[in-house]
């Protein structure tokens, strides 16, 4: 039965447990008990032998001295564990004295008093159990020793049959064992379990207090009428009301009336647990969204006595959920509808479109956004996109739907148009609005836009066909020089296929050497001498014949071939010019793609170093549209080229937006007057005045001038009178093959390897779509 006295006590609780055992031991009134026992034994023994009266009295004095010693040690601050060890030892020694006392009394008791002595001894032993069961082992040993004295005293009497008596006493010892161990088990398990329950209760209470104080939820309790009881501190802080103001107030009165509150009332009336019921609380700090969970409480008789639950502030979570829902349908940067939302709304508007009504779909791409984004940074690029979105919404007006499809690609639905002409006019309004400079961080950024227009139901009755038609129209607008709007017509699919085939031929032409350079003479007006030549690219297609540059150059730019073609032109022109007399120059046109990212500098250095050509004889012609993105990078590149000795000419001067501004930004070596002014110079006073102003300005800025497109003597005379230095045009010569140039070569031409075209991207979206697919790019790479 040792399992009954083995108890797992936490080391931290050992002193507490010993204190409980000590308290239980001392709960027995030891002093009265010893006095009563002494009187009882005296009364039993006195009539026969008065001398035996002193033996219980002496024993009682010894027992009382032990009790007093325990009290003294306790007053001295001795620990409970040490006191229990002292008591255990004292009990053993006391048991020997008790056994001796029982032996003497039983052996000397007269027959008529024997049963009383035995009975008194047994009763006293059982009473002592109530002080000894907290120390079961010591109590059992003590009881056995005391019982042994009683048994020996009976065995020594001649008038007592020892056998039955010893058997009875053995049963008494066994009963004593069982009583001690079972009482100890009941007592110890009860105390230890109570301790665990108390600790758990304290822990739970602490956790609840901490939870209510610092947790994300807070407790709330109501009575059966829904009145708040015991309002927690968190509830007070969250509502901004004191405990006195909240106590006795209806909980539902705190919340904003509406469907949420109605749902909460309905859940509470069912008297069943509910979870995550949304409610809205309005305070001086604004509107807060709470989630409340609770369960009903009932009395033992089953009567409803209120609710207990938790409230959680979910304002931030609600805002995040709303943000997620918003982003599912809107572009995060511009706030416009995103691609999915746009297609859904387009389908819905097409489904509601009446037969006598028309709807226009515009696809809009920004013309120079990638250049701005790469050269000026994503921050400015984002500002441009945001401003573009604002303008689209403003220009579209009420009822229109604007969306960002990705990158710099946008779309607009115009629900009320009278036909194709009206739709195109409105699209041109968008193009003009987006072409206005955008002020960003004190700088004016010129972007521009192209638009493709399709009209439903004429160009398609569903979103897929309408998008394809608008995409083809957009591609047409961009192919025609950008900054315009094109209305879809059925021939655009064939045009796309033709451009796609032309691009494939263009790649083959570059790889198989179908390109050639022709050179148009540049003449000095003062002596009609050749000053140099302008290199012009020609493509002789084996089946198409001579393909005009204004046809294949835009395709080369769109496909990405222009960088490799431009490098070949530069290397070929420099290699050819290296065979000319030293006073002749060569002019080479440069594309915007070469100008970006320092690519042109690498190409020029490579061509010059390979051929040994004098950089002062090389003129690079750039158009002002290459500088329109208001970036310092092209100007820095031009300065580096000029530092090499290369001459920089501004082509098509006067046809752009801010030619004078570019003259101020960069000291060009030459200005080329556009042919549009030269054509009317002899007949139109305005053109003559413009040319004269340009020539005077160039003279003051120490810049050379050249006029292109001179085709008759009257134009030449007008230019000579106004002081133009150089001219070129059909009046003197068309562009000639290298072998037909009217010069004597000073050295043989150096053969140069062609640039590698294996790295040219085959994946440009616009021209590699299938013939039936829309050629639209998804926009610049999304950031």
């Amino acid at each position: 039965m040792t399992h009954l006295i083995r108890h797992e006590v936490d080391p931290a609780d050992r002193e507490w447990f010993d204190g409980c055992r000590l308290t239980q031991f001392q709960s027995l009134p030891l002093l009265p008990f010893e006095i009563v026992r002494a009187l009882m034994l005296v009364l039993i023994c006195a009539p026969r032998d008065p001398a035996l009266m002193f033996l219980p009295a002496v024993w009682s004095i010894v027992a009382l001295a032990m009790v007093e010693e325990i009290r003294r040690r306790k007053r001295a601050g001795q620990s409970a564990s040490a006191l229990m060890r002292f008591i255990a030892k004292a009990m053993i020694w006391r048991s020997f004295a008790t056994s001796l006392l029982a032996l003497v009394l039983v052996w000397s008791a007269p027959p008529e008093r024997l049963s009383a002595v035995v009975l008194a001894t047994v009763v006293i032993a059982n009473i002592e159990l109530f002080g000894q069961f907290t120390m079961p082992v010591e109590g059992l040993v003590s009881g056995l020793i005391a019982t042994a004295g009683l048994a020996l005293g009976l065995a020594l009497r001649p008038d007592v049959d020892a056998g039955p008596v010893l058997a009875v006493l053995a049963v008494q010892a066994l009963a004593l064992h069982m009583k001690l161990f079972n009482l100890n088990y009941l007592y110890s398990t009860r105390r230890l379990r109570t301790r665990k329950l108390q600790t758990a209760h304290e822990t739970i209470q602490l956790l609840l207090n901490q939870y209510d104080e610092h947790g994300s939820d807070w407790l709330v309790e109501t009575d059966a009428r829904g009145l708040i009881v015991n309002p927690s501190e968190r509830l007070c802080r969250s509502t901004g009301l004191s405990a006195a103001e909240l106590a006795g107030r209806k909980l539902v009165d705190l919340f904003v009336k509406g469907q949420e509150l109605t749902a909460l009332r309905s859940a509470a009336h069912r008297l069943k647990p509910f979870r995550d019921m949304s409610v809205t609380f309005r305070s001086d700090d604004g509107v807060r969204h709470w989630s409340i969970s609770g369960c009903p409480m009932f009395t033992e008789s089953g009567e409803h006595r209120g609710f207990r639950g938790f409230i959680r502030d979910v304002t931030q979570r609600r805002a995040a959920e709303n943000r997620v829902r918003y982003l599912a349908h809107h572009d995060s940067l511009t706030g416009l509808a995103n691609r999915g939302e746009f297609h859904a709304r387009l389908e819905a508007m097409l489904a509601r479109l009446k037969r006598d009504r028309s709807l226009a779909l515009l696809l809009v791409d920004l013309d120079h956004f990638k250049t701005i984004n790469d050269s000026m940074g994503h921050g400015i690029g984002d500002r441009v996109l945001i401003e573009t979105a604002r303008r689209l919404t403003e220009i579209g007006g009420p009822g229109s739907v604007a969306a960002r499809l990705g990158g710099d690609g946008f779309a607009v639905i115009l629900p009320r148009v009278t036909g194709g002409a009206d739709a195109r006019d409105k699209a041109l309004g968008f193009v003009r609005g987006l072409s206005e400079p955008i002020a960003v961080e004190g700088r004016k950024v010129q972007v521009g836009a192209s638009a493709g227009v399709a009209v439903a139901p004429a160009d398609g009755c569903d979103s897929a066909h309408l998008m394809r038609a608008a995409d083809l129209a957009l591609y047409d607008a961009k192919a025609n020089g950008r900054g315009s709007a094109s209305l879809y017509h059925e021939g655009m699919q064939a045009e796309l296929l033709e451009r796609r085939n032309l691009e494939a031929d263009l790649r083959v032409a570059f790889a198989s050497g179908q390109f050639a350079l022709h050179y148009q003479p540049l003449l000095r007006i003062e002596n009609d001498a050749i000053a140099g030549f302008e290199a012009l690219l020609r493509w002789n297609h084996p089946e198409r014949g001579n393909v005009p540059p204004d046809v294949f150059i835009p395709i080369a730019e769109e496909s990405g071939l222009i960088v490799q073609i431009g490098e070949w032109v530069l290397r070929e022109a420099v290699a050819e010019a290296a065979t000319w007399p030293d006073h002749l120059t060569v002019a080479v046109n440069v594309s915007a793609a070469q100008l970006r990212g320092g690519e042109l500098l690498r190409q020029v250095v490579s061509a010059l170093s390979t051929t040994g050509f004098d950089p002062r004889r090389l003129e690079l012609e750039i158009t002002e549209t290459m500088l329109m993105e208001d970036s310092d990078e092209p100007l820095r590149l031009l300065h580096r080229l000029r530092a090499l000795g290369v001459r920089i000419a501004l082509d098509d001067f006067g046809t752009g937006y801010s030619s004078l501004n570019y003259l101020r930004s960069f000291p060009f070596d030459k200005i080329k007057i556009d042919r549009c002014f030269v054509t009317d110079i002899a007949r139109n006073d305005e053109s003559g005045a413009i040319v004269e102003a340009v020539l005077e300005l160039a003279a003051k800025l120490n810049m050379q001038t050249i006029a292109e497109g001179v085709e008759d003597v009257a134009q030449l005379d007008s230019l000579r009178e106004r002081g133009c230095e150089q001219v070129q045009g059909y009046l003197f010569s068309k562009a000639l093959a290298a072998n037909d140039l009217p010069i004597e070569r000073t050295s043989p031409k150096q053969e140069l390897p062609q640039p590698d075209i294996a790295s040219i991207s085959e994946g440009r979206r616009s021209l590699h779509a299938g013939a039936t697919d829309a050629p639209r790019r998804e926009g610049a790479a999304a950031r």
Side-chain angles (χ1 to χ4, degrees):
M1 298 180 69
T2 56
H3 66 280
L4 295 175
I5 61 174
R6 290 175 183 159
H7 308 290
E8 294 183 2
V9 182
D10 191 279
D13 293 336
R14 172 56 64 184
E15 185 65 23
W16 165 83
F17 186 58
D18 288 341
C20 294
R21 294 166 60 202
L22 179 62
T23 301
Q24 178 62 32
F25 176 80
Q26 292 179 322
S27 65
L28 184 69
L30 294 178
L31 183 58
F33 173 73
E34 296 296 345
I35 294 174
V36 170
R37 177 163 62 176
L39 291 175
M40 185 172 58
L41 292 175
V42 168
L43 292 175
I44 293 173
C45 301
R48 170 71 185 274
D49 190 356
L52 294 177
M53 292 174 57
F54 295 101
L55 188 61
V58 172
W59 164 242
S60 296
I61 293 172
V62 173
L64 293 174
M66 184 188 74
V67 172
E68 183 59 28
E69 178 62 17
I70 293 173
R71 292 178 176 176
R72 187 191 67 79
R73 287 173 177 257
K74 188 174 183 180
R75 286 194 301 269
Q78 198 168 40
S79 65
S81 299
L83 281 172
M84 290 301 293
R85 290 193 294 271
F86 170 75
I87 292 173
K89 293 177 182 179
M91 283 176 57
I92 299 298
W93 289 108
R94 180 174 174 276
S95 65
F96 284 106
T98 303
S99 177
L100 179 60
L101 178 62
L103 172 64
V104 172
L105 291 178
V106 171
W107 175 70
S108 61
E112 67 274 13
R113 300 275 181 166
L114 179 61
S115 58
V117 173
V118 173
L119 184 60
T121 304
V122 172
V123 169
I124 291 172
N126 280 277
I127 293 175
E128 286 183 334
L129 286 176
F130 292 100
Q132 295 175 346
F133 72 81
T134 56
M135 296 174 287
V137 176
E138 292 82 355
L140 178 61
V141 172
S142 175
L144 290 176
I145 293 173
T147 304
L150 178 63
L152 184 59
L154 290 174
L156 293 176
R157 291 181 65 94
D159 55 345
V160 176
D161 187 357
V165 172
L166 294 177
V168 171
L169 292 178
V171 173
Q172 167 68 10
L174 179 61
L176 179 66
H177 176 202
M178 295 180 64
K179 289 178 182 178
L180 281 171
F181 278 47
N182 279 282
L183 285 173
N184 179 264
Y185 174 79
L186 293 174
Y187 172 79
S188 298
T189 53
R190 181 178 67 83
R191 295 298 299 182
L192 291 174
R193 288 176 181 174
T194 301
R195 175 69 168 180
K196 289 181 179 180
L197 289 174
Q198 182 180 1
T199 302
H201 174 74
E202 292 175 351
T203 302
I204 291 173
Q205 189 62 44
L206 178 62
L207 289 175
L208 287 175
N209 293 338
Q210 289 290 324
Y211 184 81
D212 189 49
E213 182 66 24
H214 304 291
S216 59
D217 298 359
W218 58 91
L219 300 173
V220 64
E221 186 175 346
T222 68
D223 61 13
R225 294 177 296 170
L227 304 180
I228 300 174
V229 296
N230 301 322
S232 65
E233 185 177 348
R234 280 289 305 279
L235 181 61
C236 295
R237 287 205 307 267
S238 300
T239 59
L241 301 174
S242 65
E245 291 173 314
L246 286 173
R249 182 173 180 176
K250 270 187 170 291
L251 177 64
V252 294
D253 290 344
L254 297 176
F255 309 133
V256 176
K257 294 181 180 180
Q259 293 182 351
E260 293 179 338
L261 184 59
T262 302
L264 176 62
R265 289 179 183 272
S266 177
H269 287 160
R270 288 194 291 268
L271 297 183
K272 293 183 179 297
F274 56 86
R275 289 181 57 83
D276 298 329
M277 301 295 294
S278 297
V279 292
T280 302
F281 174 77
R282 182 178 285 111
S283 67
D284 295 338
D285 296 332
V287 175
R288 309 294 296 179
H289 298 283
W290 291 352
S291 174
I292 182 169
S293 302
C295 61
M297 299 181 295
F298 300 93
T299 63
E300 293 182 358
S301 62
E303 182 180 359
H304 176 239
R305 65 182 184 89
F307 278 91
R308 180 179 292 130
F310 296 93
I311 297 178
R312 173 178 296 177
D313 192 320
V314 294
T315 304
Q316 292 183 350
R317 188 184 73 185
R318 180 77 65 88
E321 292 172 351
N322 292 338
R323 178 65 175 167
V324 170
R325 283 193 292 269
Y326 177 83
L327 292 178
H329 303 283
H330 294 81
D331 176 59
S332 60
L333 177 64
T334 64
L336 298 181
N338 60 16
R339 180 180 291 272
E341 175 69 8
F342 177 77
H343 281 290
R345 296 180 70 173
L346 178 59
E347 286 284 6
M349 295 174 76
L350 288 172
R352 297 193 303 266
L353 187 65
K354 297 180 180 180
R355 292 186 177 181
D356 59 342
R357 297 292 182 88
S358 294
L359 175 150
L361 170 63
L362 278 65
L363 295 183
V364 181
D365 266 6
L366 301 182
D367 290 338
H368 303 288
F369 178 73
K370 187 177 187 305
T371 301
I372 294 172
N373 205 37
D374 293 343
S375 61
M376 304 179 70
H378 296 314
I380 291 181
D382 288 347
R383 296 281 298 277
V384 169
L385 292 174
I386 293 171
E387 176 61 17
T388 299
R390 189 196 66 79
R391 294 185 183 184
L392 288 175
T393 303
E394 180 181 313
I395 298 171
S400 66
V401 177
R404 182 187 179 202
L405 304 184
D408 64 338
F410 296 85
V412 181
I413 304 173
L414 299 176
R416 292 180 294 274
V417 294
T418 58
D422 181 38
R424 186 176 183 276
D425 289 342
K426 291 182 177 179
L428 287 173
F430 280 94
V431 171
R432 286 191 294 270
L434 296 179
S435 297
E436 292 294 327
I438 297 175
V440 180
E441 297 180 359
R443 308 167 68 178
K444 287 188 176 181
V445 181
Q446 194 79 38
V447 185
S450 301
V453 189
V455 179
D459 300 330
C461 297
D462 59 68
S463 62
H465 286 86
L466 202 62
M467 286 288 292
R468 184 176 295 113
D471 214 356
L472 287 167
L474 174 62
Y475 182 77
D476 181 76
K478 295 166 69 174
N480 291 330
R482 302 177 183 267
S484 63
S486 293
L487 180 65
Y488 172 77
H489 59 80
E490 293 183 355
M492 285 184 175
Q493 188 67 42
E495 292 176 3
L496 170 66
L497 181 60
E498 173 64 17
R499 293 180 69 87
R500 178 171 168 270
N501 293 333
L502 196 60
E503 182 197 346
D505 291 346
L506 190 62
R507 295 180 182 277
V508 174
F510 186 75
S512 59
Q514 296 177 16
F515 287 123
L517 287 185
H518 285 197
Y519 300 88
Q520 188 172 35
L522 311 178
L523 273 73
R524 294 191 185 92
I525 291 181
E526 60 180 1
N527 56 10
D528 293 334
I530 296 177
F533 297 89
E534 179 181 2
L536 301 173
L537 182 63
R538 297 292 183 260
W539 179 16
N540 185 17
H541 193 281
E543 297 178 1
R544 301 174 186 266
N546 289 323
V547 182
D550 58 353
V551 173
F552 70 83
I553 291 297
I555 297 177
E557 291 177 342
E558 195 69 29
S559 64
L561 280 169
I562 193 63
V563 175
Q564 284 74 22
I565 293 176
E567 182 175 5
W568 178 84
V569 169
L570 179 63
R571 291 161 62 90
E572 183 71 15
V574 170
E576 179 65 33
T579 67
W580 303 343
D582 292 343
H583 67 280
L584 296 179
T585 63
V586 62
V588 179
N589 290 281
V590 174
S591 71
Q594 290 173 280
L595 200 60
R596 293 188 201 109
E599 185 67 18
L600 180 60
L601 179 63
R602 181 194 65 78
Q603 294 176 0
V604 170
V605 170
S606 175
L608 294 176
S609 61
T610 302
T611 60
F613 189 67
D614 185 354
R616 292 173 296 181
R617 298 172 57 195
L618 174 62
E619 292 181 359
L620 298 180
E621 294 188 1
I622 67 170
T623 61
E624 60 181 287
T625 54
M626 298 180 189
L627 307 174
M628 284 175 57
E629 60 268 17
D630 193 22
S631 170
D632 294 334
E633 181 182 354
L635 294 178
R636 286 196 298 267
L637 177 59
L638 293 180
H639 278 291
R640 296 180 68 182
L641 289 168
R642 202 161 183 268
L644 293 176
V646 176
R647 292 166 56 83
I648 308 298
L650 182 59
D651 197 5
D652 299 335
F653 182 78
T655 61
Y657 295 96
S658 51
S659 302
L660 296 179
N661 184 50
Y662 298 131
L663 292 182
R664 180 180 59 84
S665 302
F666 182 80
F668 291 93
D669 297 286
K670 180 185 285 189
I671 297 175
K672 178 176 280 191
I673 302 172
D674 190 75
R675 66 177 64 245
C676 67
F677 301 112
V678 175
T679 301
D680 295 334
I681 190 172
R683 299 185 301 272
N684 190 308
D685 292 338
E686 292 182 357
S687 295
I690 293 174
V691 171
E692 187 172 346
V694 171
L695 294 174
E696 291 179 0
L697 177 64
K700 292 181 179 180
L701 295 177
N702 197 27
M703 295 180 183
Q704 196 175 33
T705 55
I706 182 172
E708 63 177 349
V710 179
E711 298 180 356
D712 57 47
V713 175
Q715 294 171 353
L716 176 62
D717 291 340
S718 296
L719 291 170
R720 181 180 286 114
E721 291 175 1
R722 289 174 170 83
C724 185
E725 299 175 67
Q726 294 182 5
V727 291
Q728 69 179 110
Y730 283 176
L731 177 61
F732 313 103
S733 173
K734 64 178 182 179
L736 303 173
N739 294 332
D740 297 332
L741 296 180
I743 59 174
E744 293 184 4
R745 300 183 183 275
T746 59
S747 61
K749 179 183 176 183
Q750 180 181 357
E751 295 297 330
L752 301 177
Q754 291 189 0
D756 181 20
I757 64 167
S759 62
I760 298 177
S761 171
E762 295 290 340
R764 283 296 290 250
R765 169 74 181 90
S766 57
L767 289 177
H768 286 275
T772 59
D773 294 338
R776 177 173 177 75
R777 294 179 295 111
E778 294 297 327
R783 297 182 300 280

